[in-house]
Amino acid sequence: MTESEQTGTFLVTAADDQSAVLKDVHSGQVHTLSSNPGVSEDEAVRGTVAPDPPMNVSWQLVDVETRWTVAVERSSESPTANSKEIASDNPDGELVKQERAGTGEIHVLSVPDDLTDQAVDDVLDDREGLLSRAARLDVNRVEVRSAPGVVAVRYMP
């Protein structure tokens, strides 16, 4: 690995036949690839990028350790009893993060009952944020559950 190469976990934020854009999920740095090595939008890639000589303004994906897709879904299931309890113990607008048993996290947001649907829509509208967090957590599924006053975002393997 050369000094200018960067190894990390990246979210593919855009991709077409000619190029792709990778965003480092830890630093937020964006890397525009000069060619597309076969990645698709919304994929997570753990690997190494290197600048294209001689100007070093575009990048190449020179090594792929692993890659995976992340699914984001609105679940019809209600939040767990634990998530509801967390929400009831916190004021509206409060976000609590809790590790899951095994891999992943659960983010519980307390909201006013009449704004629950809007809060779910707002969470789902931040697709890039959901995908980036999932890639950071090394999971491949994001599930959003809700009940009046509580929104639970589950990051799961």
Side-chain angles (χ1 to χ4, degrees):
M1 184 164 95
T2 66
E3 186 176 312
S4 56
E5 290 181 349
Q6 296 181 22
T7 298
T9 303
F10 305 94
L11 176 66
V12 181
T13 59
D16 61 27
D17 293 340
Q18 306 301 316
S19 67
V21 178
L22 306 182
K23 180 179 178 183
D24 186 307
V25 299
H26 295 285
S27 72
Q29 183 174 0
V30 175
H31 304 276
T32 301
L33 303 183
S34 57
S35 62
N36 185 339
V39 295
S40 302
E41 194 169 334
D42 295 349
E43 256 187 322
V45 177
R46 189 173 301 110
T48 302
V49 293
D52 279 326
M55 296 180 55
N56 298 335
V57 294
S58 60
W59 298 79
Q60 296 176 28
L61 184 59
V62 295
D63 180 53
V64 175
E65 180 183 325
T66 187
R67 58 191 260 199
W68 67 98
T69 57
V70 178
V72 176
E73 66 181 55
R74 179 191 304 240
S75 175
S76 60
E77 292 185 47
S78 183
T80 64
N82 182 52
S83 293
K84 290 178 182 177
E85 183 178 330
I86 290 170
S88 70
D89 291 341
N90 290 294
D92 287 345
E94 185 79 19
L95 174 70
V96 176
K97 297 178 183 180
Q98 184 177 65
E99 287 186 22
R100 289 186 74 248
T103 302
E105 282 184 355
I106 301 171
H107 296 182
V108 179
L109 178 63
S110 303
V111 297
D113 289 359
D114 61 332
L115 296 178
T116 303
D117 289 338
Q118 179 63 48
V120 170
D121 291 342
D122 290 348
V123 167
L124 291 169
D125 284 346
D126 183 20
R127 185 170 179 82
E128 186 175 317
L130 293 170
L131 295 169
S132 290
R133 279 185 289 284
R136 268 195 309 276
L137 293 167
D138 198 28
V139 299
N140 60 10
R141 192 167 137 222
V142 180
E143 179 184 81
V144 180
R145 294 182 177 189
S146 67
V150 58
V151 177
V153 182
R154 299 161 49 93
Y155 294 90
M156 301 179 294

